[in-house]
Amino acid sequence: MTTETKPTFNVVGTRPIRPDGVDKVTGRANYGADIALPGMLYGRILRSPHAHARILGIDTSRAEALDGVRCVITHDDLPGASDAILDFGESVSPYKWVLEQTFASEKVLFQGHPVAGVCATDPHLAEDALSLIEVEYEVLPPVLTVHDAMAEGAPILHEGMKTVEMVARFVPGDGRGERDSNIASQLEFEKGDPAAGFEEADIILEGEYDTAAAHQGYIEPQTGTAYWAPDGTLTIWTSSQGPFAIRDTVAHMLGIPMASVKVVPMEIGGGFGGKTKPYMEPAAAVMSKLTGRPVKMYMNREEVLIGTGPTSATYVRCKIGARNDGTLVAAEATLAYEAGAFPGSPVGAGASCMLSNYEVPNLYINALDVVTNKPKAHAYRAPGSPQATFAVESLIDELAERLERDPMELRAQNAAHEGTRRADGVPMPQIGAVETMQAAIDSPHYRSEIGIDEDGRLVGRGVSMGFWHNAGGESSAYAMTSADGTVNLSVGSVDIGGQRAGLAMQFAETMGIDYERVRPQVVDTDQIGYTNVTGGSRVSYASGLAVHEAALDMQEQLRQRAALIWDCDVDAVSYEDGALNGPDSQQMSFDEVCGRLQRTGGQIQGAADVSPSRPGPAFGCHIVDVAVDRDTGKVDILRYSAVQDVGTAIHPAYVEGQVQGGVAQGAGMALTEEYVYSPEGRMANASLLDYRMPTSLDLPEIETILVEVPNPSHPYGVRGVGEVPIVPPLAAIANAIYDATGIRMNSLPVSPTKLLDRLLEE
Amino acid sequence: MSGDLTVFVPIGMRPLTGGLRTVPASGGTIAQVIDDLESRYPGFHVSLIENDQLKPGLTIAVNSVEQPLGLLAKVPEGSEIHIIPAMAGG
């Protein structure tokens, strides 16, 4: 669907084959664990069996004595803590927390917390040696929920930690309250006059909602291979979303120059935000330094689940007020997100996103970042937004029912538009919320009848909106010509979702040449300027601008060469549609001028480093039909449609894939995925057999409707598309379950057990 | 130097402004705006700046645009300025 007359493109909007596709489907592509180097050793990690315990002593002597073991390391082998704040591109973390997460020093704070590492000649030997390390613990009571963590007298995870305000975290004297607290920080947003807004309301609805921790579920476990060469340079091979974030962090941790660390990005088997920070790379580097040999480390699935960050489990209390005509007049919310063992949940993003779909003149949001004895929460696709949106969109659905209004028409009545202030007060730029809602209303799915299930199950339909900011940030690119008119395009953005193809397409479009003439590659950190993470839905936008600017740089140099050849002023030469035009109607194609570069000064390269900041927010609206088995509580998704403003779809097939992937993950959060813990804080379902992600058998074909409201700050109108589709499924599915059963499920996931209990109660 | 600017004060910093939600300010760059605020509401400088840069984890939006140049960003006349936490994506 197109919402306005668009410019005609030659390459943008087509669906060429991705250059990395064949290698990936035939198994030739090299992922992190595929690396093999001469003399390579293997590292394994000893992890805490306890969720909360004091370390009284670590005896590594028996492990070190085992034949084949080359070294054993602990926290003591890492450089000391400092007050530095590490910049991971999109986010920051105090160095002391990064250090503690790599290896625990005085306390372990979650089951799976690394305590020691073994380096040996064989991975199985290293595994065996782990059992020879003796750790003496004083087990402490664990804190497993935000409610427990905030309760009076709760065990304190971090002695000396006091609540700080998230924005003004460094205001002198801040540190709210005198006592130590598990609430690491607080963020408040206020707009208008919430009290007056609720006074004005004819109807006020309120609810409490909670969601479980869910893992990013990437297929490829974390890896990290390091070689500390005798000349002091360190090379790291890893499958990370942020090679530069890894480089800078490891350099800081080990006290070596950033320029001495090279990170080679391997192909990456999914990340979804979970691979933006280091886990094993620092340990592999230390082991390599101690042994003088390359050291390879990788996690198994259990380690991934217990040792790497899922998204937060959350609690949200929310209240909305509206007039009888459906106009929203006020909202209020308290959010408490689990950060896991160290501060830093995505509660701030949840707070800023949850009401951004609508014009709400008066609001107050109180967001709390709460530490618990669980793995440190990590970014996960639109971090924080799905959970908070679940609360708001459930209440909007209730409001529509109370007012006897069509749920989409009510949403459209209150839709955000250009100039609407977000919760943090910042006005929206040109956005496509209204267009997205209207496209949903007009969609074949929404206009269809739900029908009756032949198996006698209860059927219902739900809808939900979703919002995500999207991001910009630093990206670099360069492109080199060859005499035959082909181009090598180098970028620093790791390719997770078809970035090679999407960036080559934008470059080809700007140059006016065929896509097939551009050979894109992702290069290591020694070969490209600083490039922020592949995350935040930023690559097609920011790296797209980088390749566009690199193409313009190339065009400028080609104009100069043409002027030399034609013996004219450079201003008399123009570049258009893949050809140079000069005086007297002279013309040279891109191929022709490339063929003459060699003897006019040599081949050229166009380059660009950019840091754009107008990514264009994204909106999605999802429609879902479900069937509920009243005997088992099982929910099946019968039909699913995802409508999304994508700005301009550079490669529509990849955009559709991103949308479908987001829906699948959101459906998992809604129905099946959750971390289950014992009272002692041990994860009871740390395998993909028991941690239940949706499979292709659980989902129907997900229909996509791409709305294109171009981002005016990008030459082709690109908006980020990858994250927002995970936002609406939680509420859309819960609303559909309500429509089917009359039961409002405010706790996710809606497992069969949970729903059956409610069905039996009714 | 631009005058007639409006700074939206986050709740956590309102003790510095005596509870005011917005305050007028002047300055041609973010750094100058913060200097101007500091002269009337002491505490802004140490709250927002470290090592001559905006502190990590903070961002400044001028009108609706976050400013990657931080303190060096130009501020057009009549602008709205928001101090907000940086948000990470996935």
Side-chain angles (χ1 to χ4, degrees), chain B residues 30 60-67 73-76 79-82:
Chain B
I30 295 295
I60 302 277
V62 176
N63 299 321
S64 61
V65 181
E66 294 179 18
Q67 299 297 315
K74 305 288 186 199
V75 183
S79 294
E80 282 186 7
I81 295 169
H82 296 264

Side-chain angles (χ1 to χ4, degrees), chain A residues 113-129:
Chain A
H113 197 160
V115 176
V118 171
C119 177
T121 52
D122 176 274
H124 306 293
L125 192 64
E127 185 83 27
D128 290 345

Side-chain angles (χ1 to χ4, degrees), chain A residues 670-711:
Chain A
L671 292 174
T672 58
E673 293 185 49
E674 62 181 319
Y675 273 48
V676 178
Y677 281 95
S678 72
E680 295 77 29
R682 295 195 179 95
M683 188 177 178
N685 58 337
S687 79
L688 292 188
L689 192 62
D690 299 316
Y691 179 86
R692 179 70 164 79
M693 294 194 295
T695 70
S696 59
L697 299 178
D698 297 309
L699 297 168
E701 176 72 20
I702 294 158
E703 301 163 44
T704 57
I705 298 174
L706 306 184
V707 178
E708 295 191 308
V709 179
N711 175 4

Side-chain angles (χ1 to χ4, degrees), chain A residues 292-308:
Chain A
R293 304 263 291 271
V295 177
K296 176 176 174 176
M297 301 182 75
Y298 48 85
M299 292 189 188
N300 60 34
R301 184 63 60 186
E302 181 184 13
E303 288 181 291
V304 169
L305 287 166
I306 67 170
T308 71

Side-chain angles (χ1 to χ4, degrees), chain A residues 495-721:
Chain A
D495 189 347
I496 301 183
Q499 280 84 0
R500 286 183 182 90
L503 296 176
M505 291 172 72
Q506 293 188 59
F507 181 87
E509 184 71 51
T510 304
M511 289 304 297
I513 61 177
D514 293 340
Y515 163 78
E516 290 75 15
R517 289 196 162 275
V518 184
R519 182 68 191 165
Q521 62 175 336
V522 181
V523 296
D524 65 56
T525 56
D526 275 6
Q527 299 184 63
I528 192 81
Y530 185 92
T531 298
N532 212 315
V533 297
T534 294
S537 303
R538 59 173 294 282
V539 171
S540 293
Y541 165 68
S543 296
L545 272 170
V547 301
H548 172 72
E549 295 287 337
L552 295 180
D553 184 34
M554 180 174 279
Q555 287 181 17
E556 178 59 26
Q557 295 179 62
L558 293 176
R559 286 176 59 232
Q560 292 173 14
R561 296 300 177 89
L564 182 67
I565 293 166
W566 288 328
D567 192 22
C568 68
D569 195 281
V570 70
D571 290 338
V573 181
S574 64
Y575 187 97
E576 201 172 343
D577 294 333
L580 290 144
N581 303 288
D584 304 322
S585 302
Q586 294 180 96
Q587 194 172 61
M588 256 190 304
S589 69
F590 178 76
D591 290 2
E592 288 170 330
V593 71
C594 285
R596 299 185 66 175
L597 289 176
Q598 217 76 0
R599 292 183 178 278
T600 58
Q603 294 293 330
I604 62 168
Q605 66 179 44
D609 302 290
V610 302
S611 184
S613 59
R614 300 169 188 256
F619 292 84
C621 183
H622 293 192
I623 309 159
V624 59
D625 296 349
V626 302
V628 178
D629 187 323
R630 66 185 96 203
D631 294 326
T632 65
K634 184 173 186 295
V635 177
D636 286 317
I637 296 175
L638 302 175
R639 186 178 182 185
Y640 203 110
S641 295
V643 186
Q644 184 173 321
D645 173 21
V646 300
T648 296
I650 298 295
H651 191 304
Y654 298 163
V655 171
E656 290 157 2
Q658 286 287 333
V659 174
Q660 292 165 330
V663 170
Q665 292 184 310
M669 293 167 78
L671 292 174
T672 58
E673 293 185 49
E674 62 181 319
Y675 273 48
V676 178
Y677 281 95
S678 72
E680 295 77 29
R682 295 195 179 95
M683 188 177 178
N685 58 337
S687 79
L688 292 188
L689 192 62
D690 299 316
Y691 179 86
R692 179 70 164 79
M693 294 194 295
T695 70
S696 59
L697 299 178
D698 297 309
L699 297 168
E701 176 72 20
I702 294 158
E703 301 163 44
T704 57
I705 298 174
L706 306 184
V707 178
E708 295 191 308
V709 179
N711 175 4
S713 301
H714 184 282
Y716 304 122
V718 168
R719 294 179 193 271
V721 300

Side-chain angles (χ1 to χ4, degrees), chain A residues 166-167 169 187 189 422-426 469, chain B residues 8 10 48 54-55 57-61 64-66 81-87:
Chain A
M166 204 178 284
V167 174
R169 67 186 80 178
L187 176 68
F189 291 135
R422 305 183 325 209
D424 59 15
V426 178
H469 297 278
Chain B
F8 285 68
L48 301 177
L54 205 58
K55 285 183 171 174
L58 290 180
T59 189
I60 302 277
S64 61
V65 181
E66 294 179 18
I81 295 169
H82 296 264
I83 303 161
I84 52 179
M87 302 292 176

Side-chain angles (χ1 to χ4, degrees), chain A residues 85 90-91 165 167-168 170-172 188 190 192 241 272-273 348-349 352 379 383 421 425-427 468 536 611 613-614 723, chain B residues 8 10-14 16 21 43 46-47 55-58 61 63-66 68 80 82-85 87-90:
Chain A
I85 305 290
E90 280 199 310
S91 62
E165 207 280 332
V167 174
F170 305 107
V171 170
E188 296 168 281
E190 186 180 50
Q241 294 174 248
F272 310 109
S352 67
R421 290 188 185 279
V426 178
W468 183 246
S611 184
S613 59
R614 300 169 188 256
E723 290 174 286
Chain B
F8 285 68
I11 290 181
M13 297 183 71
R14 287 182 195 163
L16 301 178
R21 294 180 175 199
V46 73
S47 301
K55 285 183 171 174
L58 290 180
N63 299 321
S64 61
V65 181
E66 294 179 18
E80 282 186 7
H82 296 264
I83 303 161
I84 52 179
M87 302 292 176

